[in-house]
Amino acid sequence: MSIVTVQLGQCGNQIGHEVFSALCSDLRGTHGLCSKKENESYQESCQERFFCQEESGVPAARAVLVDMEPKVISQTLSMAARSGHWKYSSHSHFCQKQGSGNNWANGYSVHGPRHKEAIMNLVQKEAEKCDRLGGFLTIMSMAGGTGSGLGAFVTQCLRDAFPTSFILNHVVWPYGTGEVIVQNYNSVLTLSHLYHSSDAILVHENDVIHKICAQLMNIKQISFRDVNQVIAHQLGSVFQPTHTAAGGSGYSRNPLGDLMEPLVPHPEFRMLGLRNIPQMPESSLPYSTFSWPGLIKHLRQILIAHAHMEEGIDWQVRPPHPGSSIPSTNKPLHFNTSIANLVILRGKDVHSVDLGSFQDPSLYTSWLNPQDAFSAWKTPRAFNKYEKSASLVSNSQFLLKPLDSIVGKAWNMFASKAYLHQYTKFGIQEEDFLDCFTTLEQVISSYTNL
Amino acid sequence: AVSLPFAVGQCGNQVGCRFWDLALREHAAVNKKGIYDEALSSFFRNVDTRSGDNGSDIYKGKICSLKARALLIDMEEGVVNEILQGPLRDVFDSKQLITDVSGSGNNWAVGHKIYGCQYRENIVEKLRKTAEHCDCLQCFFIIHSMGGGTGSGLGTFVLNLLEEEFPEVHRFVTSVYPSGEDDVITSPYNSVLAMKELNEHADCVLPIENESLFEIVNKIHQMVNSGKLGSTVKQNSLVTSSAGSAKALQEKPFDAMNNIVANLLLNLTSSARFEGSLNMDLNEISMNLVPFPRLHYLVSSLTPLYTLADVNVPSRRLDQMFSDAFSRDHQLIQADPKHSLYLACALLVRGNVQVSDLRRNIERLKPSLHFVSWNQEGWKTGLCSVPPVGHSHSLLALANNTCVKPTFIELKDRFMKLYKKKAHLHHYLQIDGMEQSCFSEAISSLSDLIEEYNELDATKDGPRIEPSRLKIAV
């Protein structure tokens, strides 16, 4: 099954490029550590999922590029073409000239309706090129105007045009200390709207990835490209072909469905966090070895203790005593309660890995059986030169604190009515803001009371 | 996306002339192959002049003849004629010029009411023609001074016109405010009358004061001539020079100062023209820096003012650039943002600077700055890969800060000194369309603006009360 990716705005297009680049480079690598047959099957599956074969022989990414100004798309297209190993189709992008001015209302209410037809035509074309459409992945930031506002609008259009397809929104959360002054308004507007039309929201936070670049990747002068490459690696670790329990011996034929069905059992809870270990500079890879028990232990503690990476984990945090029914208000505040988790393992000796510690009922809310709350995908084919790689996609309280912080800051600004005139002039009124705040306070409340 | 500059009056056109010169140099340095690209198109048309002056626009391919997208307006011919006889003569054609002979006599009313009325149709027609050649008009720039008659009066008339004809296009105004020792006696009248127009019709105003430009020019000369530590200043990197060898004796006194303003405009538009990892368009600037419609006055600072010839830039020097942007002596008006209240701040960095450099410096400088309670993290940032000519990196800081208040208060005081005695008032009131109420409304508008800044300042050291969040029924 194929996934059509929609790259929106500067962030979406920059990350999208790094994702396809990482997927392609992983495909072509000789580090698979598995049989030739296995490797070929993996390559075929990835090709079908993300690329389309064109007459020129160079695979074309199954992607639609959208931006309201031309510079980023132009750069993205040429960088891909220069790689020689993959490219974007020549007619799968749409751009305008004037940008969205970091204004969600401009992206949503003006650009959205104006360009709906042109954008959806491109999406339709890509969808038709797929033998079997597995769903849509959108990549966007929520701080600016295009990715956020136009992205929210396009998501709605996708939902209307493809009512039975899976839609996963990958959303980048900006640095806490401003990239854009009105980022919190744009974020509140985006998340509340996505909550109504998408199936799940997969989040990356710039602050978190920045720390990974600084502390694990040892990069001195961190650029957005560095941040984007870490994000691309993490996304690749989730979306490259895997064996799922349901898939039998072959690679999963329903990647988005297999991901979202177990993780999003209840529509009120759609926020997914992503963790991946180990992470290190490529130059260190040949000198490092890891054991699965070590990796699993770290990953579990990362989950429990709200950690972002394998350094600085608080090992003191423990799940509440199993068996005792503790009302949610008494649960230790720094313990992360999960609704559902998915662990994806790739590389050497995966089948020997014991994941029992992730099935511990004390990690989860009581609604689901621990067997249903936890899923695992194990794939012997190694990913992106990591001999062993473990990813965690989690529907838990990971994002509660960051979400609460964003809503708090937005509310603080809203109370003073600052910048509202910039939104009302494009048709987003105070009542619309209030609706969005209400939606998100509800989400925060729901996650808090797990 | 096109930015369309209008140079109005003597000061406006002198700055404009420096701007076009620097813009051409900047694009020449970047555009090695002579291909007419997206970046060039924001300021220049590419005209096929082989068939004479009325050639059509060429949208792609090799550069044939570049024509500036601009309107040059002056009610005296001197400055504009000089431009047309100088090295930039081929960059403009007669259809872009609106001139007269006798000037405005340093009288806002002559510029605004008389010439405004007289040239209205001419201006609208030329404006429409110029706009037709742009496939996407993003913003207008008006470059003028406040203290005279043409730039001040006719300039603000044009501002009004732009709002009427193209209400959706952003209007940025770069205004040179007169100093206390300005030799035009009526400059306070002209400035306050113009301020009312700026309050009501501009999206963003970048006030500039000659005193600040003068001090910066002096500072640079001192550094260059001090021969410190044997390091030499890189050619082409002086923000005050007209590139190449700076022959100080041949330069006219205001050239160096005008270069600074020209550099300001170039840097302001750099991220819209050139690529970068975090683009910052002009409409993003007004979106992020104007929290309330009338509070749209932005204090700007440019660093570095020159670079030393050694190529290796340790991050310490990079950090110094950020510190300098917040220091009193790099601001383009006589103000100290550090000791006043920030409503919002934008940092546009050019060159080899990455997001970690930005973050490190914001974290470092934040504690010493005061931000309004509802915008504690009020930073807008942009990263443009292409540095200015002669530099490896540069920074433009734009602050919406209450430190503009003293400038306005002084202006009001100087106005009141004249107004109380009714000095020179008859020169204005005898103009058709001018009445006493024009003056009282103008000073009232300025007073209201000052009061808004006062109210904000009052909150500065007060307790931070965070509004209680919405309660959700569980």
Side-chain angles (χ1 to χ4, degrees), chain A residues 139-157:
Chain A
I139 308 181
M140 58 214 256
S141 85
M142 61 183 193
T146 300
S148 73
L150 182 58
F153 185 85
V154 168
T155 301
Q156 236 166 265
C157 295

Side-chain angles (χ1 to χ4, degrees), chain B residues 160-350:
Chain B
N160 270 278
L161 255 190
L162 293 177
E163 188 173 22
E164 269 175 47
E165 298 289 315
F166 295 89
E168 269 135 43
V169 180
H170 292 250
R171 296 172 293 283
F172 278 77
V173 187
T174 307
S175 308
V176 180
Y177 281 65
S179 68
E181 298 91 40
D182 200 87
D183 51 358
V184 175
I185 303 177
T186 50
S187 66
Y189 283 163
N190 296 329
S191 303
V192 173
L193 288 164
M195 273 291 286
K196 175 168 180 290
E197 307 300 316
L198 294 184
N199 282 341
E200 291 172 16
H201 305 289
D203 286 310
C204 258
V205 179
L206 301 167
I208 314 265
E209 286 182 288
N210 274 338
E211 280 144 279
S212 300
L213 296 179
F214 189 68
E215 279 168 19
I216 290 174
V217 168
N218 275 342
K219 190 174 144 97
I220 295 176
H221 280 169
Q222 270 171 31
M223 273 309 291
V224 171
N225 297 323
S226 71
K228 258 189 176 176
L229 307 166
S231 42
T232 46
V233 173
K234 233 190 200 176
Q235 273 203 351
N236 288 352
S237 77
L238 284 175
V239 156
T240 54
S241 87
S242 345
S245 44
K247 295 196 173 107
L249 289 171
Q250 288 185 9
E251 275 181 9
K252 298 219 217 76
F254 282 103
D255 259 4
M257 290 160 63
N258 291 336
N259 267 320
I260 298 176
V261 185
N263 270 296
L264 166 68
L265 293 173
L266 269 186
N267 283 324
L268 194 61
T269 56
S270 60
S271 184
R273 290 176 288 137
F274 301 118
E275 35 122 270
S277 63
L278 189 60
N279 294 339
M280 181 149 94
D281 238 334
L282 288 158
N283 47 11
E284 291 172 28
I285 293 177
S286 48
M287 173 70 180
N288 285 285
L289 292 174
V290 184
F292 298 99
R294 284 178 29 113
L295 299 176
H296 57 245
Y297 293 86
L298 308 178
V299 180
S300 47
S301 65
L302 279 175
T303 60
L305 300 169
Y306 56 84
T307 49
L308 302 178
D310 43 7
V311 186
N312 228 338
V313 184
S315 66
R316 214 176 359 102
R317 193 168 293 152
L318 195 59
D319 289 8
Q320 186 60 47
M321 178 176 79
F322 282 90
S323 302
D324 286 342
F326 290 89
S327 78
R328 204 181 200 290
D329 46 2
H330 277 80
Q331 308 303 315
L332 300 190
I333 65 167
Q334 300 281 289
D336 189 4
K338 258 186 154 159
H339 293 106
S340 301
L341 188 64
Y342 276 91
L343 303 181
C345 184
L347 298 176
L348 211 186
V349 194
R350 299 178 66 173

Side-chain angles (χ1 to χ4, degrees), chain A residues 153-322:
Chain A
F153 185 85
V154 168
T155 301
Q156 236 166 265
C157 295
L158 288 175
R159 174 55 69 218
D160 293 335
F162 300 89
T164 55
S165 290
F166 291 106
I167 300 176
L168 176 63
N169 290 93
H170 174 251
V171 183
V172 174
W173 292 20
Y175 288 97
T177 330
E179 295 175 28
V180 169
I181 294 175
V182 290
Q183 64 187 40
N184 298 311
Y185 278 169
N186 293 336
S187 302
V188 165
L189 292 162
T190 303
L191 291 174
S192 56
H193 277 76
L194 288 183
Y195 236 78
H196 296 305
S197 23
S198 105
D199 290 312
I201 302 169
L202 181 62
V203 177
H204 268 115
E205 300 164 76
N206 274 348
D207 280 303
V208 170
I209 306 297
H210 191 103
K211 274 208 208 98
I212 292 177
C213 288
Q215 293 173 232
L216 299 181
M217 312 298 276
N218 283 330
I219 304 173
K220 293 282 175 280
Q221 196 189 25
I222 301 166
S223 66
F224 270 111
R225 185 129 198 243
D226 297 318
V227 171
N228 294 341
Q229 285 177 337
V230 172
I231 292 176
H233 169 84
Q234 297 203 347
L235 289 177
S237 76
V238 173
F239 292 116
Q240 282 292 48
T242 50
H243 295 293
T244 55
S249 58
Y251 286 109
S252 160
R253 308 230 48 212
N254 185 12
L256 290 179
D258 287 344
L259 178 81
M260 295 194 281
E261 275 169 342
L263 285 176
V264 187
H266 188 299
E268 184 67 9
F269 300 89
R270 302 175 205 243
M271 308 254 280
L272 305 177
L274 174 54
R275 300 286 185 266
N276 168 267
I277 59 172
Q279 293 247 227
M280 64 183 66
E282 198 176 303
S283 51
S284 308
L285 281 173
Y287 308 105
S288 318
T289 46
F290 293 90
S291 72
W292 281 120
L295 287 174
I296 300 305
K297 188 164 168 219
H298 277 76
L299 197 60
R300 183 177 183 270
Q301 196 61 22
I302 285 173
L303 168 66
I304 294 174
H306 284 289
H308 297 133
M309 56 179 141
E310 54 261 56
E311 263 179 41
I313 301 177
D314 183 353
W315 290 95
Q316 300 298 328
V317 179
R318 296 248 184 276
H321 269 300

Side-chain angles (χ1 to χ4, degrees), chain A residues 10 69 71 75 97-98 101-102 175 177 179 181 221-223 404 409 411 416 419 421-422 441-442, chain B residues 138 271-272 275-277 279 283 286-288 290-291 354 356-357 359 363 377 380-381 468-469 472:
Chain A
Q10 175 165 25
E69 65 113 336
K71 299 194 296 290
Q75 250 198 312
K97 299 257 183 183
Q98 70 271 57
N102 286 165
Y175 288 97
T177 330
E179 295 175 28
I181 294 175
Q221 196 189 25
I222 301 166
S223 66
D404 188 65
K409 287 190 229 173
W411 185 249
S416 72
Y419 298 102
H421 70 286
Q422 308 271 17
E441 291 287 7
Q442 183 68 62
Chain B
Q138 190 177 60
S271 184
E275 35 122 270
S277 63
N279 294 339
N283 47 11
S286 48
M287 173 70 180
N288 285 285
V290 184
Q354 301 301 342
S356 55
D357 301 311
R359 309 232 58 74
E363 292 307 311
E377 276 114 6
K380 164 69 180 160
T381 55
S468 35
R469 298 267 291 272
I472 302 293

